[in-house]
Amino acid sequence: QVQLQESGPGLVRPSQMLSLTCTVSGGSITANSNAWTWIRQPPGKGLEWMGAIAYDGTTYYSPALKSRSSISRDTSKNQFSLQLNSVTPEDTAVYYCARDPRLGAYDYWGQGTQVTVSS
């Protein structure tokens, strides 16, 4: 059973950098064909795809966030991470990591972590 767990600060100051890590257990992030994804949901809004890192290390970003986001991985720890720079209160959201097996739907999700951007 694959499990994903997000970790990171719950509160970030405006203009600072948000850094989140997703720890994966029960499956390798280098396993063939999967893409490991960051998704967020602002309060009262729908899910927003932010970006992903594929099994081979290729990264993909939402055009809306590409200029200030970075996704990386640590294969020795079976983790992947998100950095989002220059955050504003509009970045307040529940942040999820998920596995995309590239079959049309995400099959495993983390429980989500609330991040609030506020001074």
Side-chain angles (χ1 to χ4, degrees):
Q1 179 77 0
V2 176
Q3 294 183 317
L4 295 87
Q5 178 66 58
E6 305 91 348
S7 59
L11 178 66
V12 183
R13 304 301 182 190
S15 81
Q16 299 299 307
M17 181 180 68
L18 165 66
S19 183
L20 297 173
T21 294
C22 183
T23 300
V24 179
S25 59
S28 172
I29 63 171
T30 61
N32 207 15
S33 80
N34 293 316
W36 302 89
T37 306
W38 287 101
I39 297 163
R40 68 181 181 180
Q41 186 169 28
K45 298 184 179 180
L47 296 171
E48 178 184 15
W49 181 84
M50 300 182 70
I53 185 164
Y55 67 98
D56 62 356
T58 303
T59 52
Y60 306 87
Y61 296 99
S62 163
L65 298 171
K66 184 176 183 178
S67 65
R68 58 187 186 99
S69 60
S70 177
I71 298 174
S72 60
R73 66 181 185 174
D74 185 337
T75 57
S76 68
K77 297 180 179 179
N78 215 37
Q79 297 175 332
F80 64 104
S81 298
L82 169 72
Q83 291 186 334
L84 186 65
N85 296 314
S86 304
V87 297
T88 72
E90 285 66 42
D91 293 309
T92 294
V94 178
Y95 286 75
Y96 298 93
C97 55
R99 189 179 83 165
D100 177 5
R102 301 188 176 184
L103 297 174
Y106 304 104
D107 57 357
Y108 293 101
W109 292 73
Q111 65 182 23
T113 187
Q114 173 70 47
V115 177
T116 300
V117 180
S118 175
S119 56

